[in-house]
Amino acid sequence: MKHTWNDDQIRDYLINHIKKSIIDDVGGALIGWSSQMHNKKYIAGSFAVPRMLFPEIDGLGSYITGNPKSTGSNIKTYISNILGESNHKYKEFAGFIVFIFRHGLLHQHQPKEFTHNNKQIGWEFRISDPNNPIEVNEKYHLEFKSDVLTIDANIFYRDIVNSVEGFAEDVITKYRSTFETSLDAQMKSLTKESLLKEVKYLEDTDFTFLETYEI
């Protein structure tokens, strides 16, 4: 049975659940890594930030497409349609970001290699210096220069966080049906029988523990 969400429930879920979770998880990590940079200690986190953010963008984008299984399309849609409203460069680079950055980082260790006209197209994730004015850090974000595309993790994080409240209103006015369809699919209760039917790599023996141990 399809669940119906009212306006307040949509706002509460997206703002007080999704947005808050992104701030708590990714924002807290960025504070730690920025502090390391400020104290001139070992710098980490450049790849960890997008690894945390891309699944969140996937979920948000699925509320537009209505298909939580269409990861690449979901991420491209949200980056282009929602983040692109405030920065046109997101529209320009959305497809490249999804395939080269997201697919590489989540399926391998680093972004995928890409060549064009016999030239290697490079990539850079940077955690910007917290002592710099925001406009200084912004000029390096989504900059394509000398065959290198640079993404500033701090700005990317900020833009995603800042987009959620406006997106909640978009869901209410434009995407309510696909929002509900996506969440219904995600929240569907799974069973051993349904997983064995849907997931090729699972076998009946993967669930033996359910009978072996007391629940």
Side-chain angles (χ1 to χ4, degrees):
M1 180 178 177
K2 188 174 177 66
H3 180 71
T4 301
W5 295 62
N6 65 39
D7 295 1
D8 288 338
Q9 288 174 322
I10 291 171
R11 292 189 186 100
D12 181 65
Y13 179 76
L14 288 172
I15 297 169
N16 298 325
H17 180 64
I18 300 296
K19 178 180 176 180
K20 183 179 184 300
S21 177
I22 295 172
I23 292 171
D24 290 346
D25 295 344
V26 187
L30 275 171
I31 290 171
W33 290 317
S34 296
S35 174
Q36 286 187 328
M37 175 179 289
H38 179 63
N39 293 315
K40 301 189 184 306
K41 294 182 179 179
Y42 176 73
I43 305 303
S46 294
F47 284 173
V49 173
R51 284 190 183 113
M52 289 188 284
L53 288 174
F54 281 130
E56 297 291 354
I57 303 170
D58 179 14
L60 291 168
S62 77
Y63 304 147
I64 300 174
T65 68
N67 185 1
K69 294 183 178 181
S70 184
T71 294
S73 176
N74 294 338
I75 297 173
K76 180 182 176 182
T77 297
Y78 196 85
I79 291 176
S80 181
N81 294 11
I82 305 303
L83 299 184
E85 290 181 356
S86 58
N87 184 343
H88 71 89
K89 287 186 177 181
Y90 280 115
K91 291 181 182 291
E92 184 177 0
F93 297 121
F96 191 86
I97 288 172
V98 171
F99 203 88
I100 302 303
F101 285 91
R102 183 270 171 192
H103 288 7
L105 285 172
L106 269 71
H107 295 301
Q108 291 88 42
H109 176 69
Q110 61 188 29
K112 292 181 177 293
E113 293 190 6
F114 185 82
T115 58
H116 179 67
N117 291 336
N118 297 317
K119 291 188 296 184
Q120 185 82 28
I121 305 301
W123 41 260
E124 178 189 15
F125 275 108
R126 66 192 299 268
I127 293 181
S128 49
D129 190 332
N131 296 312
N132 285 341
I134 192 70
E135 58 270 18
V136 172
N137 294 330
E138 281 181 333
K139 76 177 184 177
Y140 297 106
H141 181 53
L142 298 178
E143 178 189 57
F144 186 58
K145 184 177 180 180
S146 300
D147 300 322
V148 174
L149 177 61
T150 298
I151 295 178
D152 186 292
N154 304 66
I155 304 300
F156 192 36
Y157 158 78
R158 182 207 65 184
D159 289 348
I160 293 165
V161 168
N162 289 347
S163 73
V164 175
E165 291 194 30
F167 180 59
E169 301 307 312
D170 287 340
V171 169
I172 290 167
T173 58
K174 296 190 289 186
Y175 306 124
R176 189 188 301 267
S177 177
T178 48
F179 170 82
E180 292 173 352
T181 298
S182 177
L183 278 181
D184 282 348
Q186 293 178 55
M187 294 179 176
K188 179 182 177 182
S189 181
L190 300 172
T191 65
K192 180 180 81 170
E193 289 72 24
S194 68
L195 286 174
L196 288 174
K197 185 177 179 181
E198 295 173 19
V199 184
K200 292 182 179 179
Y201 61 81
L202 290 177
E203 301 174 358
D204 191 71
T205 53
D206 291 311
F207 300 92
T208 303
F209 73 93
L210 294 171
E211 309 298 332
T212 303
Y213 297 96
E214 259 188 55
I215 297 178

